[in-house]
């Protein structure tokens, strides 16, 4: 069995922040994540830390009522400690209160930060402005800098300008993070103008639900402009995150390749007499299809783990065009017919369910055990009827069932589509993933066809090795030949990439549905 590339293990669930955060390494960067209520602060942290279970994400305002901390671990060490703060609710009234604090509660010639400290030690910090006090205390006493999360779907109102000013009174660097920039109706340009007016010229565009390509690492590199003394540390964090992204893609490709090798190696035997019994034949074929679907589910689960998602994040659910579960679609005649066309096999694939049902079904090939050494699909290029005649003549003795190349092509497309969707998915996303089918006439149709044929050819050695099938629930297969083939197939698979943002910083749009083939 080919072991997946080493991946960082998601850390344990974070504890609620206390007055002391001494458990973090002294060099760990401390960031207070602040902003108006329901701006997406917790959503941002889910994506940055790859923890879909952190906190509570809801359309209801004020869900986060206490400061909670969550750590980004790199190589087992706390690299960044984030403080998820409650939403600011009435910054306009807070500014008025800070400006009107009685002189006896302040030092001589008080600074704005002195006023904040006096407010935090006074009674109103536990009364009218309790939520605002939690935010300012986290920023002033526990953080090196703040990430100001802004929901760009909201209009720029005076209360938001007041929030920027109140946060600035803490005298900590502030990095505005423009969230939901891909949503319809995003007012990104207006927010950029408001930030400049507030003296906040550095900002980052992000989307916690569907992050842009490089947005995560760019966020840390942009912070270096505000924290020059931490520049080397921030660059190191960005490099390690880039390496983790590469590791995830390597692990994903190996998981897909291993599943393809297992399905190519699948071979099930049945006596000709039993196959002649329709009930036994149907049960035999159904069991084969279920085993194939189990390999698909196992690979999908491996992809979810590689991207730090749970099983509930991508159920093997319905396609827009089909009602069946997607792994069961591996034997859908229409889809197999399309896969066969891409393999150059014409319409024979999938049509066999009616034409020659006694010897072949959609996606399945039946052959005599004595002669079935390689892929039955390769013989189809010579014509369907000659092969049917050969098989009819050998319906004695033990028969073997295998998966056609079209099944492998369809499985590869589905798993590549899932990997692409997971790569483009933020850990704040609430919707279930739906696999997309390849689209006829797309610009990458020729590349998809070439990849399909290349994979079918590369997987042929597995046809002669039924012992290379790693059955779900069985011990893993340790075989140098299988390992080498898995590595070779993985090298043929393209790595998925997050989507690149539109060229114009103000051009907001809806996330696109990922295609079945990366880049298509």
């Amino acid at each position: 069995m080919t072991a997946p590339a080493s991946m960082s293990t998601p850390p344990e669930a974070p504890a609620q922040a206390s007055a002391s955060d001494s458990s973090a390494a002294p060099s760990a960067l401390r960031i207070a994540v602040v902003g108006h209520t329901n701006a997406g602060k917790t959503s941002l942290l889910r994506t940055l830390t790859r923890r879909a279970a952190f906190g509570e994400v809801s359309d209801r305002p004020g869900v986060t009522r206490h400061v909670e901390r969550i750590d980004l671990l790199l190589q087992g060490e706390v690299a960044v400690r984030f403080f998820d703060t409650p939403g600011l609710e009435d910054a306009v009234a807070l500014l008025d209160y800070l400006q009107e604090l009685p002189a006896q509660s302040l030092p001589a010639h008080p600074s704005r930060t002195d006023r904040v400290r006096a407010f935090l030690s006074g009674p109103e910090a536990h009364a009218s402005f309790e939520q605002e006090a939690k935010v300012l205390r986290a920023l002033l006493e526990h953080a090196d800098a703040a990430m100001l999360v802004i929901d760009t779907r909201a209009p720029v109102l005076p209360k938001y300008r007041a929030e920027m000013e109140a946060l600035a009174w803490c005298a900590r660097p502030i990095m505005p993070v423009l969230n939901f920039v891909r949503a319809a109706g995003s007012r990104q340009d207006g927010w950029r103008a408001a930030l400049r007016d507030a003296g906040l010229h550095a900002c980052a565009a992000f989307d916690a639900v569907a992050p842009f390509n490089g947005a995560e690492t760019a966020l840390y590199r942009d912070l270096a402009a505000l924290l020059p003394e931490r520049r080397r540390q921030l660059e190191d964090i960005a490099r390690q995150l880039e390496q983790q992204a590469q590791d995830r893609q390597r692990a994903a490709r190996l998981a897909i390749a291993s599943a393809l090798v297992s399905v190519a190696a699948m071979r099930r035997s049945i006596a000709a007499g039993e196959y002649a019994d329709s009930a036994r034949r149907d049960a035999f074929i159904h069991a084969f299809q279920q085993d194939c679907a189990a390999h698909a589910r196992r690979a999908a689960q491996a992809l979810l783990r590689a991207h730090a998602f749970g099983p509930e994040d991508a159920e093997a659910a319905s396609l827009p065009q089909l009602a069946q579960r997607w792994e069961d679609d591996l034997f859908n005649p229409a889809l197999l017919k399309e896969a066969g066309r891409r393999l150059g096999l014409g319409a024979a694939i999938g049509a066999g369910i009616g034409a020659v049902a006694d010897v072949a079904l959609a996606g399945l090939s039946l052959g005599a055990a004595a002669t079935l050494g390689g892929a039955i699909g390769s013989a189809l290029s010579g014509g369907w009827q000659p092969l049917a005649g050969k098989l009819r003549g050998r319906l004695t003795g033990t028969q073997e069932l295998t998966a056609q190349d079209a099944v492998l092509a369809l499985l590869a497309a589905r798993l590549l589509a899932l990997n692409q969707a997971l790569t483009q998915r933020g850990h704040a996303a609430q919707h279930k993933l739906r696999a997309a089918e390849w689209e006829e006439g797309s610009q990458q149709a020729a590349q998809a066809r070439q990849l399909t044929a290349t994979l079918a050819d590369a997987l042929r050695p597995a046809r002669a090795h039924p012992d290379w099938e790693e059955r779900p629930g069985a011990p893993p297969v340790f075989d140098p030949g299988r390992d080498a083939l898995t590595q070779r197939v993985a090298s043929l698979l393209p790595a998925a990439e997050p989507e690149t943002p539109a060229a114009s910083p103000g051009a907001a749009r809806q996330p696109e549905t990922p295609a079945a083939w990366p880049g298509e």
Side-chain angles (χ1 to χ4, degrees), residues 171-189:
R172 293 288 186 271
I174 299 173
M175 169 61 74
V177 179
L178 302 178
N179 200 11
F180 306 119
V181 294
R182 299 169 64 172
S186 173
R187 298 173 170 88
Q188 185 179 168
D189 289 341

Side-chain angles (χ1 to χ4, degrees), residues 158-181:
K159 63 180 179 180
Y160 299 130
R161 296 180 185 274
E163 289 172 4
M164 298 178 201
E165 184 175 353
L167 292 169
W169 282 35
C170 292
R172 293 288 186 271
I174 299 173
M175 169 61 74
V177 179
L178 302 178
N179 200 11
F180 306 119
V181 294

Side-chain angles (χ1 to χ4, degrees), residues 43 48-49 65 83 86 104 153 192 196 200 230 270 277 295 299 321 335 354 382 405 413 417:
S43 296
L48 291 179
T49 61
R65 305 302 295 176
F83 295 92
Q104 59 268 27
R153 299 169 298 183
R192 288 181 182 274
R196 288 193 297 269
L200 299 172
R230 299 272 195 160
I270 184 173
D277 184 299
H295 285 300
Q321 310 95 325
L335 297 179
D405 287 344

Side-chain angles (χ1 to χ4, degrees), residues 300-323:
Q301 290 165 3
L303 293 178
L304 287 166
R305 289 194 299 271
H307 290 277
F309 287 108
E312 70 282 357
D313 291 305
E315 63 181 4
S318 60
L319 293 166
Q321 310 95 325
L322 301 168

Side-chain angles (χ1 to χ4, degrees), residues 140-450:
L140 189 62
E141 299 179 0
H142 297 291
D144 301 306
M147 286 185 182
L148 171 59
V149 183
I150 296 171
D151 184 350
T152 59
R153 299 169 298 183
V156 182
L157 300 175
K159 63 180 179 180
Y160 299 130
R161 296 180 185 274
E163 289 172 4
M164 298 178 201
E165 184 175 353
L167 292 169
W169 282 35
C170 292
R172 293 288 186 271
I174 299 173
M175 169 61 74
V177 179
L178 302 178
N179 200 11
F180 306 119
V181 294
R182 299 169 64 172
S186 173
R187 298 173 170 88
Q188 185 179 168
D189 289 341
W191 277 104
R192 288 181 182 274
L195 291 170
R196 288 193 297 269
D197 188 56
L200 299 172
H201 295 276
C203 68
F206 202 87
D207 197 297
V209 173
F212 294 127
N213 185 12
E216 182 182 14
T217 54
L219 191 58
Y220 291 104
R221 289 187 168 116
D222 289 344
L223 271 173
L226 302 179
L227 297 168
E229 70 281 4
R230 299 272 195 160
R231 184 180 302 276
R232 182 175 298 179
Q233 181 181 4
L234 287 163
E235 178 61 31
D236 186 56
I237 290 171
R239 282 197 302 267
Q240 290 191 57
L241 290 173
E242 289 170 342
Q243 183 61 52
Q244 284 189 355
Q246 294 174 14
D247 290 344
R248 284 192 295 273
Q249 290 304 314
R250 189 177 301 110
R253 292 196 300 271
L254 284 171
I256 295 171
S258 182
L260 293 174
V261 170
S262 285
V263 174
M266 285 180 65
R267 189 181 297 180
R268 300 291 186 271
S269 300
I270 184 173
E274 292 185 37
Y275 186 80
D277 184 299
S278 61
R280 292 186 179 183
R281 179 176 66 245
D282 291 346
F284 175 62
I285 291 169
H286 179 72
F288 186 95
Q289 292 176 331
Q290 289 298 105
D291 287 348
C292 193
H295 285 300
R297 286 192 296 272
R298 185 183 188 187
Q301 290 165 3
L303 293 178
L304 287 166
R305 289 194 299 271
H307 290 277
F309 287 108
E312 70 282 357
D313 291 305
E315 63 181 4
S318 60
L319 293 166
Q321 310 95 325
L322 301 168
Q324 300 97 326
R325 292 164 65 88
W326 72 268
E327 68 268 21
D328 295 334
D329 287 342
L330 295 175
F331 299 96
N332 180 280
L335 297 179
L336 289 169
K337 180 178 179 179
E338 171 61 13
R341 186 189 65 77
R342 290 179 179 271
L343 281 164
L345 303 179
I349 296 287
I353 199 165
V356 284
D358 54 336
V359 293
L361 293 135
L364 303 179
S365 294
L366 185 71
T371 61
L372 189 67
I376 200 75
S378 62
L380 290 174
S381 59
W384 182 263
Q385 291 302 325
L387 176 63
K390 287 182 180 180
L391 292 178
R392 285 195 185 95
R394 291 186 176 272
L395 284 179
T396 58
T398 301
Q399 307 299 319
E400 290 184 333
L401 202 61
T402 61
Q404 290 177 346
D405 287 344
V407 173
L408 299 175
L410 188 56
L411 177 59
R414 292 297 172 78
L415 292 175
L416 287 169
L418 177 58
N419 185 46
Q420 180 73 25
L422 291 171
T423 301
Q424 295 178 348
R425 179 181 175 87
H427 286 67
Q430 299 295 295
H431 64 280
K432 299 280 188 182
L433 278 175
R434 298 293 184 266
E437 188 50 57
W438 56 49
E439 297 178 2
E440 186 64 33
S442 66
Q443 294 181 350
Q444 281 72 32
Q447 295 180 12
R449 189 179 301 111
Q450 181 180 4

Side-chain angles (χ1 to χ4, degrees), residues 17-91:
S18 60
S20 171
D21 58 340
S22 58
S23 60
S27 61
L29 185 66
R30 293 169 172 81
I31 302 292
V33 180
V34 302
H36 194 73
T37 181
N38 219 33
K41 298 182 292 297
T42 302
S43 296
L44 175 69
L45 287 175
R46 284 185 171 189
T47 295
L48 291 179
T49 61
R50 309 190 70 79
R51 303 258 211 101
F54 172 69
E56 182 180 353
V57 173
S58 172
D59 291 334
R60 293 181 292 106
V63 171
T64 301
R65 305 302 295 176
H66 303 283
V67 178
E68 297 183 8
R69 71 181 183 226
I70 183 171
D71 296 332
L72 174 67
L73 297 185
L74 296 176
Q75 297 182 347
E77 298 290 336
V78 178
V80 184
R81 169 153 290 177
F82 293 104
F83 295 92
D84 188 16
T85 66
L88 294 165
E89 296 176 349
D90 195 355

